[in-house]
Amino acid sequence: MSDPVVELRNVSKIYRMGSSEVRALDHVSLKVMPGEFISVVGPSGSGKSTLLSIIGCLARPTSGRILIDGIDVTDMSEGELSDIRCLKIGFIFQFFNLIPTLTALENVELPMIFAGKLSEWEMRDRALELLDLVGLLDRANHRPSEMSGGQQQRVAIARALANDPTLVLADEPTGNLDSKTGAEVISLMEELNRETGKTFIIVTHDTNVARRTRKILYMVDGRLYEDPNEIPTFKEFRSREDREKLLSELEIEVEELLSQLQAVKGGKVGVKELRDTVLRVRMGVRRIRRRLDEI
């Protein structure tokens, strides 16, 4: 049986800000096997980006162990981690991160130059092969400013595959694209996953993107869940003090809303004041709805 491409063993990541701590990852364990096509979803601030940074060897854990393609990278030096990123991991970003002064061909060649494994002609052939794979061979000599967003993301995908990595990490790859183009990009990634056997981990806010993957992982408050039914309810992960605070704030919102409605009912406001009051009432209703969602 093959080793996991990614293995996290009880990984935590804590950021310290003055006297307070933010636990971005909270005892996360995970195994990702070769050829998997996975998405990670969760609200903003849940720890998705930190998880991707840890897996991508861009950040170090506070505790726990990280294995990439069977290699324990936890205690590696920065130089060794750079080699792992270069040779084992391909990155796809929301904003493409192409070098604007380089052509599509040159952008795809760049990781191979850093790796230093191929000759100039071998790099050129490999880059052209990858551009052909993503359907952009005819744009090889175009710069990013001469391409659409979808085309730029295709170049970024080709670049991510340049050094034949074991793992491809995609951070909101459709976040800067319209829905049609985003769907085309995900279809391309699905096709590459099937044809090349590359392992893909995709962080996304888009449920339509997540549904296209074969496994969905859920991040909530720094914890990772494979089964959404295991995610704690409000009462389980909110303290009583937190709930009481929210209820108190809700009461204030309701009282303010009632006073504004009384003013309208009593006819004590003019046309302009009435318009402003109606606007405040609407905003108050939205705030109350948010409070109710939290409770």
Side-chain angles (χ1 to χ4, degrees):
M1 184 176 176
S2 57
D3 290 329
V5 174
V6 175
E7 185 173 0
L8 304 185
R9 299 176 181 171
N10 205 29
V11 168
S12 293
K13 179 65 176 177
I14 300 172
Y15 294 100
R16 290 180 172 84
M17 292 180 287
S19 59
S20 62
E21 292 183 348
V22 176
R23 190 173 288 271
L25 295 182
D26 190 6
H27 300 289
V28 171
S29 294
L30 171 67
K31 285 186 180 181
V32 178
M33 302 307 294
E36 288 201 89
F37 194 64
I38 294 173
S39 60
V40 182
V41 301
S44 297
S46 61
K48 301 188 304 298
S49 295
T50 301
L51 178 69
L52 213 63
S53 296
I54 290 287
I55 294 173
C57 302
L58 295 168
R60 294 180 182 273
T62 305
S63 60
R65 312 298 299 180
I66 307 164
L67 285 78
I68 302 296
D69 203 18
I71 301 169
D72 192 331
V73 303
T74 312
D75 300 319
M76 282 187 171
S77 67
E78 288 300 327
E80 290 170 327
L81 289 176
S82 179
D83 289 340
I84 292 290
R85 288 193 297 269
C86 184
L87 301 175
K88 295 284 186 182
I89 306 171
F91 295 89
I92 302 170
F93 303 96
Q94 178 177 350
F95 296 104
F96 323 134
N97 289 3
L98 301 177
I99 307 300
T101 56
L102 301 183
T103 64
L105 181 65
E106 291 166 339
N107 268 286
V108 177
E109 287 178 329
L110 201 56
M112 293 182 273
I113 294 172
F114 293 148
K117 303 277 187 185
L118 303 177
S119 69
E120 181 179 346
W121 293 111
E122 287 172 327
M123 288 190 294
R124 182 59 50 95
D125 287 345
R126 170 74 175 159
L128 289 170
E129 176 187 333
L130 289 169
L131 285 173
D132 190 25
L133 188 65
V134 300
L136 284 181
L137 189 58
D138 60 337
R139 294 288 188 271
N141 294 314
H142 287 64
R143 289 184 171 81
S145 61
E146 300 170 316
M147 293 182 284
S148 68
Q151 290 171 337
Q152 290 184 62
Q153 194 62 295
R154 285 172 178 265
V155 173
I157 292 170
R159 180 185 60 189
L161 299 174
N163 287 328
D164 196 25
T166 307
L167 171 67
V168 178
L169 302 178
D171 189 7
E172 299 284 359
T174 64
N176 204 37
L177 304 172
D178 61 71
S179 57
K180 180 176 180 296
T181 305
E184 291 171 354
V185 166
I186 292 299
S187 294
L188 173 61
M189 293 168 70
E190 285 181 292
E191 182 181 346
L192 292 171
N193 170 254
R194 287 193 302 269
E195 292 184 359
T196 68
K198 300 296 181 193
T199 304
F200 281 77
I201 301 177
I202 303 168
V203 163
T204 182
H205 280 96
D206 191 335
T207 54
N208 292 320
V209 171
R211 291 190 194 104
R212 301 279 294 272
T213 61
R214 290 193 287 278
K215 181 191 289 186
I216 302 176
L217 302 177
Y218 303 85
M219 285 293 300
V220 177
D221 289 350
R223 290 183 176 269
L224 192 65
Y225 302 88
E226 292 192 25
D227 183 351
N229 294 319
E230 295 177 355
I231 298 172
T233 63
F234 177 85
K235 289 182 180 179
E236 290 175 59
F237 66 78
R238 287 280 196 186
S239 68
R240 178 174 297 179
E241 291 77 13
D242 287 338
R243 287 189 287 126
E244 288 177 353
K245 179 182 177 183
L246 285 172
L247 286 169
S248 176
E249 291 174 353
L250 176 58
E251 288 176 3
I252 294 171
E253 295 285 0
V254 171
E255 288 175 4
E256 177 65 21
L257 181 58
L258 287 173
S259 68
Q260 291 169 0
L261 288 172
Q262 287 294 334
V264 173
K265 185 178 178 181
K268 299 176 182 178
V269 294
V271 175
K272 182 179 182 302
E273 290 81 2
L274 176 60
R275 183 185 61 196
D276 293 342
T277 301
V278 169
L279 180 60
R280 287 196 296 272
V281 168
R282 287 177 176 173
M283 293 175 65
V285 169
R286 292 194 187 104
R287 286 196 298 272
I288 289 172
R289 283 177 175 169
R290 285 199 297 269
R291 297 294 183 204
L292 290 172
D293 287 341
E294 292 181 64
I295 293 172

